[in-house]
Amino acid sequence: MNKSCTCNRNAKIQQTFLSVLIVAVVFLSGCATTEVAEHHIANKADPYENFNRKIYVFNDTVDNYVAEPISDTYKWITPQFMQTGVFNFFNNLKTINVVINDVLQAKFKQSAEDAGRFALNTAFGLGGFLDVGKSVGLEQNDEDFEQTLAVWGVPQGSYLVLPLLGPSTWRGIPGVVFDTAANPVSYVGMPVQLIYMLNARANAEGALKFIDEAALDPYVFTRESFLQWRNNLATDGKSEAALDFDDELGWDEADSAAKGSDAATGNKAGQTLDLYPETR
Amino acid sequence: MMVLKNIRLALVLIFCLFTAGKAFAQEGNEATARQVVENFQAELIAVMKNGKQLGYAGRYDKLYKPVSNSHDLTKIARIVVGKEWEKLSEAQQQKLVEVFNRFSVASYAHNFKDYSGESFVFDSEEETARGGFVVHSRLLIPDDKPVKFDYMLKEKGNSWRIINIIANGVSDLALKRSEYTSILQREGFDALIAKINEKIDTYSKQ
């Protein structure tokens, strides 16, 4: 009797949450369609920019009014060693997923290291509260299912901003689903999950503050740094696209080719750039 | 009297020859791409070490020359606005370069404000296909993961200049170009300049 009552209540809460989400999406898409005509800017990686921007603003508002105040309180009342312990604990649980993805990407040596790290921290680090692995020089690797899909050759797809979850891509959606399923935290009760979220927000503080300080357009700044960061992770830092800075000048070469100038004679793109300061 | 005059002439001549010789010697000893990066990193660490005493204004003044001498800020400013550059008037282009110069130095002065044992180490360097240079280095931070810093350099006149910095795989040039072109297209030139000035202002107050 009592149980069915809670179930009912849960179902009700879920329904309310769902309807709020639907309303938000409908409302936001309404805004988006009225404004589509205003902007004809299409970024190749971000064809849904106008819609994504709405979700971004929505997430930002939720963060400013809900997540940030709660996270600040958590940081204020929790001593630093506890915060570090909590971070280490959840980070250690995440290692299970890292090991699975090491194997899925055929990085067997790395999977052995990560498994060893997990065993060490769980056994000798008070169940993961202390990062023993780090002190013996076992650096943690950063792997997840989205990276595995990238290694398997699944295309990234467009950039998406998910309600409440933030920056992602089409490939990131199955990534998040798998990572959540492979994280033990997903199977325990509310208080642990709440601390998990507080810990996540507290750790994002530095990055979010940096974006606030440095970005002229926080939406574009977040999108670009997110896509470059994910690309760098998926390629384990060997991402040539980010390194090839001649690529950054590529548009200029195309320019000069159109004007029939230097490009035809095999001159560097950079040289056409050089002319500008002098000709002024 | 005549003798004195001759001596003075001789001294002037010697002085001229000496300085000319020195200038030639400097031209012959042009700093390599790696040296440009390492000199700049050394200046940065030195400013960080005295960061607190210097304050924002002090760090800004100390970094102004090292930043403008090691970076090709004019070219960077031109690249970050992409194709929009050609749509700007000459006065607007000048304004952009001027504001961008101040913004670049201000960002360094703001972000490298104190010292807790950081150091840069050189890893390797390579020449790119189109005659540029990439210098790979790492910033070591005590009790934290090192940050990879890759510097892209191009030759300007006869010196190497930094044109892009890639930190842990995130390219500063690509990031800025997306931001700047987006703002120019959405909100226009004046909004871009106003936003940059606003950032410089916030940096100076922290």
Side-chain angles (χ1 to χ4, degrees), chain A:
Chain A
M1 181 67 199
N2 216 348
K3 204 175 176 195
S4 75
C5 202
T6 6
C7 280
N8 259 340
R9 216 176 49 201
N10 274 345
K12 239 184 190 165
I13 291 171
Q14 266 179 3
Q15 260 181 355
T16 324
F17 182 69
L18 196 71
S19 45
V20 166
L21 255 186
I22 291 170
V23 167
V25 168
V26 170
F27 167 71
L28 293 167
S29 58
C31 298
T33 42
T34 50
E35 277 186 30
V36 156
E38 286 175 31
H39 306 298
H40 303 279
I41 307 110
N43 184 304
K44 263 185 278 167
D46 188 10
Y48 317 118
E49 176 166 351
N50 286 309
F51 185 70
N52 281 339
R53 272 185 189 266
K54 306 289 170 202
I55 309 276
Y56 180 86
V57 171
F58 171 74
N59 286 350
D60 198 42
T61 314
V62 172
D63 186 67
N64 282 342
Y65 289 101
V66 185
E68 196 184 356
I70 300 175
S71 159
D72 284 351
T73 316
Y74 164 75
K75 285 176 73 178
W76 192 70
I77 59 169
T78 320
Q80 186 55 50
F81 79 93
M82 268 300 282
Q83 282 182 48
T84 312
V86 167
F87 170 81
N88 288 341
F89 176 75
F90 288 118
N91 204 38
N92 191 48
L93 287 183
K94 215 177 76 183
T95 313
I96 298 171
N97 189 33
V98 175
V99 175
I100 297 172
N101 283 288
D102 283 336
V103 174
L104 292 175
Q105 293 172 40
K107 294 172 180 165
F108 299 116
K109 187 173 167 267
Q110 192 175 304
S111 77
E113 284 168 11
D114 287 322
R117 197 175 195 285
F118 176 72
L120 201 65
N121 280 351
T122 312
F124 302 106
L126 304 175
F129 275 92
L130 301 175
D131 193 348
V132 190
K134 192 176 168 184
S135 35
V136 299
L138 269 178
E139 277 301 328
Q140 191 184 29
N141 293 297
D142 198 342
E143 302 290 354
D144 52 50
F145 194 59
E146 196 266 340
Q147 292 181 53
T148 301
L149 291 175
V151 170
W152 289 353
V154 177
Q156 187 177 44
S158 308
Y159 177 70
L160 301 171
V161 181
L162 305 177
L164 303 177
L165 294 175
S168 187
T169 55
W170 282 119
R171 192 172 63 199
I173 294 176
V176 166
V177 172
F178 184 97
D179 293 340
T180 310
N183 193 334
V185 177
S186 316
Y187 304 99
V188 291
M190 201 47 210
V192 179
Q193 282 190 354
L194 184 71
I195 299 170
Y196 176 72
M197 286 191 276
L198 284 173
N199 168 60
R201 176 59 182 77
N203 286 305
E205 179 72 24
L208 292 170
K209 200 168 151 251
F210 183 77
I211 292 173
D212 261 359
E213 277 177 10
L216 297 181
D217 182 334
Y219 172 81
V220 176
F221 193 99
T222 307
R223 179 186 71 206
E224 286 309 312
S225 41
F226 174 80
L227 291 175
Q228 286 195 40
W229 168 65
R230 291 305 307 179
N231 187 32
N232 187 55
L233 279 180
T235 55
D236 293 323
K238 293 177 197 87
S239 158
E240 285 305 314
L243 270 183
D244 184 7
F245 104 98
D246 292 320
D247 238 30
E248 317 263 342
L249 303 171
W251 58 270
D252 203 74
E253 196 178 40
D255 264 4
S256 46
K259 289 175 198 151
S261 61
D262 297 338
T265 54
N267 266 340
K268 299 172 210 162
Q271 285 179 345
T272 33
L273 281 171
D274 275 333
L275 292 175
Y276 281 84
E278 274 99 47
T279 45
R280 254 199 288 112

Side-chain angles (χ1 to χ4, degrees), chain B residues 86-104:
Chain B
E86 272 123 67
K87 296 178 197 155
L88 302 177
S89 74
E90 233 171 73
Q92 286 177 322
Q93 292 176 349
Q94 261 164 10
K95 177 86 190 158
L96 176 73
V97 169
E98 182 259 321
V99 174
F100 188 77
N101 273 13
R102 283 195 290 125
F103 184 42
S104 304

